[in-house]
Amino acid sequence: MQKPHVVVLFGATGDLSKRKLLPGLLHLFQADLLNDSKIVGTSLEDLTHEQFVELARTACQEFAKDDFDADTWHAFAEMLTYVSQSQGSEALRDEVYRVETLLPGDIHDKRRLHYLSVPPSAALSVLKQLDECDLVERSRVVMEKPFGTDLESAKILNARVHEVFDESQVFRIDHFLGKEAAQNILAFRFANGLFEPIWNRNFIDHVQIDVPETLGLEGRTSFYEATGAYRDMVVTHLMQVLTFMAMEPPTSLTPDPISDEKLKVFRSMKPIEPHHVVRGQYVGYRGKEEVASDSDTETFTALRVEIDNWRWAGVPFFLRTGKKLAESARIISIAFKEPPLTMFPAGSGVGTHGPDHLTFDLADQSRMSLSFYGKRPGPGMKLDKLSMQFATHDTASSGLVLEAYERLIHDAMRGDHTLFTTAQGIEELWAKSMPLLDAPPPVRSYPPGSWGPNAIHQLIAPRAWRLPFEREWRDPNATEA
């Protein structure tokens, strides 16, 4: 049973709070998963309590996934309160203490969740504030990426965090791992005798993790100049998804065994060598505000990752992400090794569409697809590529799906670290990244609306990138003819 909570939302007036956190908290309340709670918003803006409630209402009306219900909103609004940072740490402390007294139960049973929706540069000052105003006890803290920019900075950041919070209190959030489809990878792999025996180097040729985005960096160039696509997306998102694909079966689906297996994947990875990486920058990025005319910051990166263990030796993992690309997608694609095909007659079509693929779509639709060859009806041996597809929206439980931030907030309130990253894992990943960070290859320009620099084809050769798809996903809402 969930204990009474005070959720302290730092950066409560920011973009992430308005788009995801406040609507997410409202949906948790609607799902009866946020009972006996109070939400204290705080930020640099001087707002009254009433102004903050109105800001939250506007955000929830615009971004909440469910139809906005006025009666539910009024009950949720009673949970909200606001303290401006200009009022000082004591005012925040006093407000947290005050709303705690309104919650049922003994004080020792009440918990605090501090969500740091603030820039990385402000995170340590918030931790210091929490320490100084005595808000660390009985609390957990959720921290947004990035977790450092290299091995040294990650170690320093973790050491500073541990001066205030024990590691068991820290929840480093990666919203990719909160997606229903990401967790479905674990269920798919370990609950099905059909697939677990072939999930290894004997049957799998390669794996692609592809997260292209059509959006550019308008308004975020200052942040990107200090990070780039590798630090922003690969370390914090794509590598974490890779661990779900590559990890050994944990002894149980609980936080410690899963974290142990993810850490083993990072330890088994070969260092990321510069010749296995393509860095790109879209035409038009330079010359914008806060971007130098000779900036070599990558807005695109593609790389080859190798895991040198008994399960995956010799199987390359290809990762790709970037801004202003041809389409937005979040795809994991597993290519199986092809069997001997000489028995099929010339012109049968076998082998012309590439290997069989198992594909996970990590977008909100949460879909899976298995492609394979099958005989075309009619005389002769003509083969087509066929596809079996599944979407979460097809199931009777589709209404129970929580969005990524909603699930992760709820897990943090319960103290469940399963879908969060650890200090050890982050530092190990930075250690494997240092050859690339110490000697990055030059950035190559690519036109907006493309799939990145041409060098990506040499990186993956003799294989080919799976995106764009040769087939469309079936629309789960479409009616049968």
Side-chain angles (χ1 to χ4, degrees), residues 406-446:
E406 297 165 3
R407 178 182 302 279
L408 294 171
I409 290 171
H410 185 241
D411 283 355
M413 293 176 73
R414 296 188 300 117
D416 187 340
H417 278 88
T418 302
L419 301 176
F420 295 85
T421 56
T422 65
Q424 269 190 310
I426 288 293
E427 291 178 12
E428 186 69 34
L429 193 48
W430 281 123
K432 295 299 173 67
S433 301
M434 290 314 297
L436 168 65
L437 300 180
D438 287 339
V443 293
R444 303 165 185 261
S445 64
Y446 63 94

CSV table of all heavy atoms in Angstrom, one decimal, residues 406-446:
chain,number,residue,atom,x,y,z
A,406,GLU,N,4.4,9.1,-16.0
A,406,GLU,CA,3.5,8.6,-15.0
A,406,GLU,C,3.9,7.4,-14.3
A,406,GLU,O,3.9,7.3,-13.0
A,406,GLU,CB,2.1,8.4,-15.6
A,406,GLU,CG,1.5,9.6,-16.2
A,406,GLU,CD,0.3,9.3,-17.2
A,406,GLU,OE1,-0.1,8.2,-17.3
A,406,GLU,OE2,-0.2,10.3,-17.8
A,407,ARG,N,4.4,6.4,-15.0
A,407,ARG,CA,4.8,5.1,-14.5
A,407,ARG,C,6.1,5.4,-13.6
A,407,ARG,O,6.2,4.8,-12.5
A,407,ARG,CB,5.2,4.1,-15.6
A,407,ARG,CG,5.7,2.8,-15.1
A,407,ARG,CD,6.1,1.9,-16.2
A,407,ARG,NE,4.9,1.7,-17.1
A,407,ARG,CZ,4.0,0.8,-16.8
A,407,ARG,NH1,4.0,0.1,-15.7
A,407,ARG,NH2,2.9,0.7,-17.6
A,408,LEU,N,7.0,6.2,-14.1
A,408,LEU,CA,8.2,6.4,-13.3
A,408,LEU,C,8.0,7.2,-12.0
A,408,LEU,O,8.7,6.9,-11.0
A,408,LEU,CB,9.3,7.0,-14.2
A,408,LEU,CG,9.7,6.2,-15.4
A,408,LEU,CD1,10.6,7.0,-16.4
A,408,LEU,CD2,10.5,4.9,-14.9
A,409,ILE,N,7.1,8.2,-12.1
A,409,ILE,CA,6.8,8.9,-10.8
A,409,ILE,C,6.2,7.9,-9.8
A,409,ILE,O,6.6,7.9,-8.6
A,409,ILE,CB,5.9,10.0,-11.1
A,409,ILE,CG1,6.6,11.2,-11.9
A,409,ILE,CG2,5.3,10.6,-9.8
A,409,ILE,CD1,5.7,12.3,-12.4
A,410,HIS,N,5.3,7.1,-10.3
A,410,HIS,CA,4.6,6.1,-9.4
A,410,HIS,C,5.6,5.1,-8.9
A,410,HIS,O,5.6,4.8,-7.7
A,410,HIS,CB,3.5,5.4,-10.2
A,410,HIS,CG,2.7,4.5,-9.3
A,410,HIS,ND1,2.6,3.1,-9.5
A,410,HIS,CD2,1.9,4.7,-8.2
A,410,HIS,CE1,1.9,2.6,-8.6
A,410,HIS,NE2,1.4,3.5,-7.8
A,411,ASP,N,6.6,4.6,-9.7
A,411,ASP,CA,7.6,3.7,-9.2
A,411,ASP,C,8.5,4.4,-8.2
A,411,ASP,O,8.9,3.8,-7.2
A,411,ASP,CB,8.4,3.2,-10.4
A,411,ASP,CG,7.7,2.2,-11.2
A,411,ASP,OD1,6.6,1.8,-10.8
A,411,ASP,OD2,8.3,1.8,-12.3
A,412,ALA,N,8.9,5.6,-8.4
A,412,ALA,CA,9.7,6.3,-7.4
A,412,ALA,C,9.0,6.5,-6.1
A,412,ALA,O,9.6,6.4,-5.0
A,412,ALA,CB,10.1,7.7,-8.0
A,413,MET,N,7.7,6.8,-6.1
A,413,MET,CA,7.0,6.9,-4.9
A,413,MET,C,6.9,5.6,-4.2
A,413,MET,O,6.9,5.6,-2.9
A,413,MET,CB,5.5,7.4,-5.2
A,413,MET,CG,5.5,8.8,-5.8
A,413,MET,SD,3.8,9.3,-6.2
A,413,MET,CE,3.0,9.6,-4.6
A,414,ARG,N,6.9,4.5,-4.9
A,414,ARG,CA,6.9,3.2,-4.2
A,414,ARG,C,8.4,2.7,-3.9
A,414,ARG,O,8.5,1.6,-3.3
A,414,ARG,CB,6.3,2.1,-5.2
A,414,ARG,CG,4.8,2.4,-5.4
A,414,ARG,CD,4.2,1.3,-6.2
A,414,ARG,NE,4.8,1.1,-7.5
A,414,ARG,CZ,5.4,-0.1,-7.8
A,414,ARG,NH1,5.5,-1.1,-7.0
A,414,ARG,NH2,6.0,-0.2,-9.0
A,415,GLY,N,9.4,3.5,-4.3
A,415,GLY,CA,10.7,3.1,-4.0
A,415,GLY,C,11.3,2.0,-4.9
A,415,GLY,O,12.2,1.3,-4.6
A,416,ASP,N,10.7,1.8,-6.1
A,416,ASP,CA,11.0,0.7,-7.1
A,416,ASP,C,12.0,1.3,-8.1
A,416,ASP,O,11.7,2.1,-8.9
A,416,ASP,CB,9.8,0.2,-7.8
A,416,ASP,CG,10.0,-1.0,-8.7
A,416,ASP,OD1,11.2,-1.2,-9.0
A,416,ASP,OD2,9.1,-1.7,-9.0
A,417,HIS,N,13.3,0.8,-8.0
A,417,HIS,CA,14.4,1.2,-8.9
A,417,HIS,C,14.5,0.5,-10.2
A,417,HIS,O,15.4,0.7,-11.0
A,417,HIS,CB,15.7,1.1,-8.1
A,417,HIS,CG,16.1,2.2,-7.2
A,417,HIS,ND1,15.7,2.2,-5.9
A,417,HIS,CD2,16.7,3.3,-7.4
A,417,HIS,CE1,16.1,3.3,-5.3
A,417,HIS,NE2,16.7,4.0,-6.1
A,418,THR,N,13.6,-0.4,-10.5
A,418,THR,CA,13.7,-1.3,-11.6
A,418,THR,C,14.0,-0.6,-12.9
A,418,THR,O,14.9,-1.0,-13.7
A,418,THR,CB,12.5,-2.2,-11.8
A,418,THR,OG1,12.2,-2.9,-10.6
A,418,THR,CG2,12.6,-3.1,-13.0
A,419,LEU,N,13.3,0.5,-13.2
A,419,LEU,CA,13.4,1.2,-14.5
A,419,LEU,C,14.3,2.5,-14.4
A,419,LEU,O,14.2,3.3,-15.3
A,419,LEU,CB,12.0,1.6,-14.9
A,419,LEU,CG,11.0,0.4,-15.1
A,419,LEU,CD1,9.7,0.9,-15.5
A,419,LEU,CD2,11.6,-0.6,-16.2
A,420,PHE,N,15.1,2.6,-13.3
A,420,PHE,CA,16.0,3.7,-13.2
A,420,PHE,C,17.4,3.3,-13.3
A,420,PHE,O,17.8,2.1,-13.1
A,420,PHE,CB,15.7,4.4,-11.8
A,420,PHE,CG,14.4,5.0,-11.7
A,420,PHE,CD1,13.3,4.2,-11.3
A,420,PHE,CD2,14.1,6.3,-12.0
A,420,PHE,CE1,12.0,4.8,-11.2
A,420,PHE,CE2,12.9,6.9,-11.9
A,420,PHE,CZ,11.8,6.1,-11.5
A,421,THR,N,18.3,4.2,-13.6
A,421,THR,CA,19.7,3.9,-13.8
A,421,THR,C,20.4,4.2,-12.5
A,421,THR,O,20.0,4.9,-11.6
A,421,THR,CB,20.3,4.8,-14.9
A,421,THR,OG1,20.1,6.2,-14.6
A,421,THR,CG2,19.7,4.5,-16.2
A,422,THR,N,21.6,3.5,-12.4
A,422,THR,CA,22.4,3.6,-11.1
A,422,THR,C,23.7,4.3,-11.3
A,422,THR,O,24.1,4.5,-12.4
A,422,THR,CB,22.7,2.1,-10.6
A,422,THR,OG1,23.6,1.5,-11.6
A,422,THR,CG2,21.4,1.3,-10.4
A,423,ALA,N,24.3,4.7,-10.2
A,423,ALA,CA,25.5,5.4,-10.3
A,423,ALA,C,26.6,4.6,-10.9
A,423,ALA,O,27.4,5.0,-11.8
A,423,ALA,CB,26.0,5.9,-8.9
A,424,GLN,N,26.7,3.3,-10.5
A,424,GLN,CA,27.6,2.4,-11.1
A,424,GLN,C,27.5,2.2,-12.6
A,424,GLN,O,28.4,2.2,-13.4
A,424,GLN,CB,27.5,1.0,-10.4
A,424,GLN,CG,28.4,0.8,-9.2
A,424,GLN,CD,28.4,-0.6,-8.8
A,424,GLN,OE1,27.3,-1.3,-8.6
A,424,GLN,NE2,29.6,-1.2,-8.6
A,425,GLY,N,26.2,2.0,-13.0
A,425,GLY,CA,25.9,1.9,-14.4
A,425,GLY,C,26.3,3.1,-15.3
A,425,GLY,O,26.9,2.9,-16.4
A,426,ILE,N,26.0,4.3,-14.8
A,426,ILE,CA,26.3,5.5,-15.5
A,426,ILE,C,27.8,5.7,-15.6
A,426,ILE,O,28.4,6.0,-16.7
A,426,ILE,CB,25.7,6.7,-14.8
A,426,ILE,CG1,24.2,6.7,-15.0
A,426,ILE,CG2,26.3,8.0,-15.2
A,426,ILE,CD1,23.8,7.0,-16.4
A,427,GLU,N,28.6,5.4,-14.5
A,427,GLU,CA,30.0,5.6,-14.6
A,427,GLU,C,30.7,4.5,-15.5
A,427,GLU,O,31.6,4.9,-16.2
A,427,GLU,CB,30.6,5.5,-13.2
A,427,GLU,CG,30.2,6.7,-12.3
A,427,GLU,CD,30.7,6.6,-10.9
A,427,GLU,OE1,31.6,5.7,-10.6
A,427,GLU,OE2,30.3,7.4,-10.0
A,428,GLU,N,30.2,3.3,-15.5
A,428,GLU,CA,30.7,2.3,-16.4
A,428,GLU,C,30.5,2.7,-17.9
A,428,GLU,O,31.4,2.5,-18.7
A,428,GLU,CB,30.1,0.9,-16.1
A,428,GLU,CG,30.7,-0.2,-16.9
A,428,GLU,CD,32.1,-0.6,-16.4
A,428,GLU,OE1,32.4,-0.4,-15.2
A,428,GLU,OE2,32.9,-1.0,-17.3
A,429,LEU,N,29.3,3.2,-18.2
A,429,LEU,CA,29.0,3.6,-19.5
A,429,LEU,C,29.9,4.8,-20.0
A,429,LEU,O,30.4,4.8,-21.1
A,429,LEU,CB,27.5,4.0,-19.6
A,429,LEU,CG,26.9,4.1,-21.0
A,429,LEU,CD1,27.3,3.0,-21.9
A,429,LEU,CD2,25.4,4.3,-20.9
A,430,TRP,N,30.1,5.7,-19.1
A,430,TRP,CA,31.0,6.9,-19.4
A,430,TRP,C,32.4,6.3,-19.6
A,430,TRP,O,33.1,6.8,-20.5
A,430,TRP,CB,31.0,7.9,-18.3
A,430,TRP,CG,29.8,8.8,-18.4
A,430,TRP,CD1,28.9,9.1,-17.4
A,430,TRP,CD2,29.4,9.7,-19.5
A,430,TRP,NE1,28.0,10.0,-17.8
A,430,TRP,CE2,28.2,10.4,-19.1
A,430,TRP,CE3,29.9,9.9,-20.8
A,430,TRP,CZ2,27.6,11.3,-19.9
A,430,TRP,CZ3,29.2,10.8,-21.6
A,430,TRP,CH2,28.1,11.5,-21.2
A,431,ALA,N,32.8,5.4,-18.8
A,431,ALA,CA,34.2,4.8,-19.0
A,431,ALA,C,34.4,4.2,-20.4
A,431,ALA,O,35.4,4.4,-21.0
A,431,ALA,CB,34.5,3.8,-17.9
A,432,LYS,N,33.3,3.5,-20.9
A,432,LYS,CA,33.4,2.8,-22.2
A,432,LYS,C,33.3,3.9,-23.3
A,432,LYS,O,33.7,3.6,-24.4
A,432,LYS,CB,32.3,1.8,-22.3
A,432,LYS,CG,32.5,0.6,-21.4
A,432,LYS,CD,33.8,-0.1,-21.6
A,432,LYS,CE,34.0,-1.2,-20.6
A,432,LYS,NZ,33.1,-2.3,-20.7
A,433,SER,N,32.8,5.1,-23.0
A,433,SER,CA,32.6,6.1,-24.0
A,433,SER,C,33.9,7.0,-24.1
A,433,SER,O,34.0,7.8,-25.1
A,433,SER,CB,31.5,7.0,-23.6
A,433,SER,OG,30.3,6.3,-23.5
A,434,MET,N,34.8,6.9,-23.3
A,434,MET,CA,35.9,7.9,-23.2
A,434,MET,C,36.8,7.8,-24.5
A,434,MET,O,37.3,8.9,-24.9
A,434,MET,CB,36.8,7.7,-22.0
A,434,MET,CG,36.1,8.1,-20.7
A,434,MET,SD,35.3,9.7,-20.8
A,434,MET,CE,36.7,10.8,-21.1
A,435,PRO,N,37.1,6.7,-25.1
A,435,PRO,CA,37.9,6.7,-26.4
A,435,PRO,C,37.2,7.6,-27.4
A,435,PRO,O,37.9,8.4,-28.2
A,435,PRO,CB,37.9,5.3,-26.8
A,435,PRO,CG,37.8,4.5,-25.6
A,435,PRO,CD,36.8,5.3,-24.7
A,436,LEU,N,35.9,7.6,-27.5
A,436,LEU,CA,35.1,8.4,-28.5
A,436,LEU,C,35.2,9.9,-28.0
A,436,LEU,O,35.5,10.8,-28.8
A,436,LEU,CB,33.7,8.0,-28.6
A,436,LEU,CG,32.7,9.0,-29.3
A,436,LEU,CD1,33.1,9.1,-30.7
A,436,LEU,CD2,31.3,8.5,-29.1
A,437,LEU,N,35.0,10.2,-26.8
A,437,LEU,CA,34.9,11.5,-26.3
A,437,LEU,C,36.3,12.2,-26.3
A,437,LEU,O,36.4,13.4,-26.5
A,437,LEU,CB,34.4,11.6,-24.8
A,437,LEU,CG,32.9,11.0,-24.7
A,437,LEU,CD1,32.5,11.1,-23.2
A,437,LEU,CD2,32.0,11.8,-25.6
A,438,ASP,N,37.4,11.4,-26.2
A,438,ASP,CA,38.7,11.9,-26.2
A,438,ASP,C,39.2,12.3,-27.6
A,438,ASP,O,40.0,13.1,-27.8
A,438,ASP,CB,39.7,11.0,-25.6
A,438,ASP,CG,39.6,10.9,-24.1
A,438,ASP,OD1,39.0,11.9,-23.5
A,438,ASP,OD2,40.0,9.9,-23.5
A,439,ALA,N,38.6,11.5,-28.6
A,439,ALA,CA,39.1,11.7,-30.0
A,439,ALA,C,37.9,11.6,-30.9
A,439,ALA,O,37.8,10.6,-31.7
A,439,ALA,CB,40.2,10.8,-30.4
A,440,PRO,N,36.9,12.5,-30.9
A,440,PRO,CA,35.7,12.3,-31.7
A,440,PRO,C,36.0,12.5,-33.2
A,440,PRO,O,36.8,13.3,-33.5
A,440,PRO,CB,34.8,13.4,-31.2
A,440,PRO,CG,35.7,14.4,-30.6
A,440,PRO,CD,36.8,13.7,-30.0
A,441,PRO,N,35.4,11.7,-34.1
A,441,PRO,CA,35.6,11.9,-35.5
A,441,PRO,C,34.9,13.3,-35.9
A,441,PRO,O,34.1,13.8,-35.2
A,441,PRO,CB,34.8,10.7,-36.1
A,441,PRO,CG,33.8,10.3,-35.1
A,441,PRO,CD,34.4,10.6,-33.8
A,442,PRO,N,35.3,13.8,-37.0
A,442,PRO,CA,34.7,15.1,-37.5
A,442,PRO,C,33.2,15.0,-37.8
A,442,PRO,O,32.8,13.9,-38.1
A,442,PRO,CB,35.5,15.4,-38.7
A,442,PRO,CG,36.0,14.1,-39.2
A,442,PRO,CD,36.3,13.3,-38.0
A,443,VAL,N,32.5,16.1,-37.6
A,443,VAL,CA,31.1,16.1,-37.9
A,443,VAL,C,30.9,16.2,-39.4
A,443,VAL,O,31.7,16.9,-40.1
A,443,VAL,CB,30.3,17.2,-37.2
A,443,VAL,CG1,30.3,17.0,-35.7
A,443,VAL,CG2,30.9,18.5,-37.6
A,444,ARG,N,29.9,15.5,-40.0
A,444,ARG,CA,29.6,15.6,-41.4
A,444,ARG,C,28.3,16.2,-41.5
A,444,ARG,O,27.3,15.9,-40.8
A,444,ARG,CB,29.6,14.2,-42.0
A,444,ARG,CG,30.9,13.4,-41.8
A,444,ARG,CD,30.7,11.9,-42.1
A,444,ARG,NE,31.9,11.1,-41.8
A,444,ARG,CZ,32.8,10.7,-42.7
A,444,ARG,NH1,32.6,11.1,-44.0
A,444,ARG,NH2,33.8,10.0,-42.4
A,445,SER,N,28.1,17.1,-42.5
A,445,SER,CA,26.8,17.8,-42.6
A,445,SER,C,25.8,16.9,-43.3
A,445,SER,O,26.2,16.0,-44.1
A,445,SER,CB,27.0,19.1,-43.5
A,445,SER,OG,27.5,18.8,-44.8
A,446,TYR,N,24.6,17.1,-43.0
A,446,TYR,CA,23.5,16.4,-43.7
A,446,TYR,C,22.3,17.3,-43.9
A,446,TYR,O,22.1,18.2,-43.0
A,446,TYR,CB,23.1,15.1,-42.9
A,446,TYR,CG,22.5,15.4,-41.6
A,446,TYR,CD1,21.1,15.5,-41.3
A,446,TYR,CD2,23.3,15.5,-40.4
A,446,TYR,CE1,20.6,15.7,-40.1
A,446,TYR,CE2,22.8,15.7,-39.2
A,446,TYR,CZ,21.4,15.8,-39.0
A,446,TYR,OH,20.9,16.0,-37.7
